[in-house]
Amino acid sequence: GKGRPPNVVLLLADDLGFGDLGCFGHPSSATPRLDRLAAQGLRFTDFYATSPVCSPSRAGLLTGRYQTRSGIYPGVLYPGSRGGLPLAELTVAELLKGRGYATAMVGKWHLGLGPDGAFLPTRQGFDHYLGVPYSHDQGPCQNLTCFPPDTRCFGICDQDVVLAPLFWNLSIVEQPVSFPHLEARYAAFARDFIDSCARRSQPFFLYYASHHTHYPQFASREYTGQTPRGPFGDALLELDGSVGRLLQALRDSGVHDNTLVFFTSDNGPETMRMSRGGSSGLLKCGKGTTYEGGMREPAIAYWPGHITPGVTNELASTLDILPTLAALAGVPLPNVTLDGFDLSPVLFGTGKVSFGSVVLPKILKG
């Protein structure tokens, strides 16, 4: 109802291509739960990230502003990077926290670590955080197990930096991260958060940024060797399983019908990895390029009883998440330049998005 704003679960895949999911046409992917989510929700055919690489894309997603405004561009942050997303930037979490939401983040942050964790999620509006502060390949991995019982991670990952740490709020709780156990830890953390919010009748915002299907792929025993797509397919199936667990947690806590679930990816697939990278489907190129394959992402919006199942060809992007959630939560928009729009008319089938006056860059003819 109007009085109680919806809970929000924002799911972000990592390096997942436009053509990787079964519901987006992949012939051999095993993604039954995401396919069901798409069948029961609204599937976007023209949804875009703001950048073809991780950090800038995530800055755009969480602030509703092009990454050039916050300075998180053109490349990604590294374990040794001193900076991060400026603390003055207003994130979706900070916006919703002001409306009384409990907020938590699970998974890959990649918007800065800083001295004493100065740029970690708990400094940017998240009450709780469990995750790796950057990409899981940004630390030596050649001696780590990616698939049980003892399959080493493929490749060598970044050298001469620390082993990938797992943070709980501002403290390291495991280093190196145990990849085969990681998604289960995330799922348990997410379930506990959802459950505690439901018991308090507090609206919540959960940002679940999976490491799947970024290189090097990994999975738990449950998903290892289970798909025809090899290591990539197994990692994707574990991502799919995590989505299923989250939906089950929403049902078990009695909040399923008042929760908006939104799924997308940060950027296109790392096609240079061949079978160990994802698929752009029929789109050109992938991660690291501004061709369609690098920027156009699978996206699904799901909210039973509110969003009518179907497919939309409306143009939308990660920039639209913040203004849309602000509208749903009844929060006034922040007094900063936002680059996105409220997608409510598309989500609820009430009309077209009001783009207002959009300033497009001039295209110079060669």
Side-chain angles (χ1 to χ4, degrees):
K2 285 271 184 210
R4 177 98 193 275
N7 309 306
V8 178
V9 176
L10 178 57
L11 298 163
L12 190 69
D14 195 2
D15 291 7
L16 187 72
F18 184 78
D20 273 319
L21 302 182
C23 54
F24 278 83
H26 197 281
S28 63
S29 280
T31 53
R33 297 158 197 91
L34 281 164
D35 294 351
R36 193 178 313 128
L37 195 76
Q40 297 174 352
L42 186 65
R43 186 169 68 83
F44 287 79
T45 62
D46 291 72
F47 190 90
Y48 290 84
T50 60
S51 167
V53 291
C54 303
S55 298
S57 172
R58 289 156 199 265
L61 171 76
L62 289 182
T63 63
R65 290 153 53 81
Y66 281 116
Q67 55 273 7
T68 39
R69 298 190 190 276
S70 58
I72 306 297
Y73 82 100
V76 303
L77 292 157
Y78 288 87
S81 297
R82 292 215 301 259
L85 182 69
L87 299 181
E89 288 288 333
L90 190 79
T91 66
V92 178
E94 286 168 308
L95 193 73
L96 294 177
K97 201 171 158 69
R99 175 71 165 85
Y101 276 68
T103 56
M105 190 206 156
V106 175
K108 175 178 166 177
W109 174 236
H110 220 177
L111 288 172
L113 177 53
D116 299 319
F119 294 106
L120 285 175
T122 49
R123 315 278 198 199
Q124 297 279 20
F126 291 98
D127 299 326
H128 312 281
Y129 172 56
L130 179 68
V132 180
Y134 35 76
S135 293
H136 68 279
D137 71 328
Q138 291 184 310
C141 69
Q142 62 270 29
N143 295 320
L144 303 180
T145 297
C146 269
F147 293 95
D150 53 12
T151 301
R152 293 274 183 261
C153 297
F154 185 80
I156 58 169
C157 304
D158 291 359
Q159 301 298 299
D160 304 318
V161 286
V162 298
L163 292 156
L166 178 67
F167 273 79
W168 180 47
N169 294 336
L170 298 173
S171 306
I172 294 174
V173 290
E174 185 177 68
Q175 191 175 22
V177 173
S178 172
F179 294 134
H181 300 103
L182 192 53
E183 281 285 329
R185 290 183 82 155
Y186 286 171
F189 182 87
R191 174 178 277 278
D192 289 347
F193 173 68
I194 290 168
D195 196 47
S196 68
C197 292
R199 275 191 309 213
R200 292 195 308 271
S201 295
Q202 183 176 11
F204 62 83
F205 170 57
L206 173 63
Y207 172 42
Y208 193 106
S210 178
H211 302 280
H212 292 319
T213 48
H214 194 293
Y215 169 95
Q217 284 78 31
F218 64 86
S220 61
R221 188 180 298 274
E222 184 182 349
Y223 298 102
T224 298
Q226 296 299 308
T227 71
R229 274 188 86 182
F232 186 94
D234 293 352
L236 179 54
L237 185 62
E238 182 167 76
L239 169 66
D240 189 74
S242 297
V243 173
R245 283 195 175 98
L246 279 168
L247 290 169
Q248 192 58 50
L250 295 174
R251 289 189 197 96
D252 292 347
S253 297
V255 294
H256 176 261
D257 293 344
N258 194 41
T259 302
L260 168 67
V261 178
F262 196 93
F263 173 88
T264 189
S265 174
D266 65 338
N267 48 249
E270 204 168 15
T271 48
M272 69 177 211
R273 301 275 183 197
M274 309 301 285
S275 68
R276 288 180 183 267
S279 166
S280 308
L282 301 177
L283 304 180
K284 182 174 179 177
C285 293
K287 181 179 180 176
T289 78
T290 50
Y291 289 115
E292 290 285 290
M295 309 276 291
R296 194 155 137 200
E297 308 305 329
I300 303 164
Y302 170 84
W303 186 6
H306 296 264
I307 295 175
T308 306
V311 178
T312 179
N313 307 121
E314 289 289 322
L315 181 68
S317 83
T318 51
L319 296 169
D320 303 329
I321 300 288
L322 184 143
T324 303
L325 296 184
L328 293 179
V331 185
L333 288 175
N335 190 23
V336 292
T337 302
L338 292 175
D339 298 303
F341 303 92
D342 177 10
L343 291 177
S344 297
V346 172
L347 296 181
F348 308 123
T350 56
K352 299 261 183 189
V353 171
S354 172
F355 286 120
S357 56
V358 182
V359 181
L360 295 173
K362 287 179 179 165
I363 306 296
L364 299 176
K365 289 199 164 72

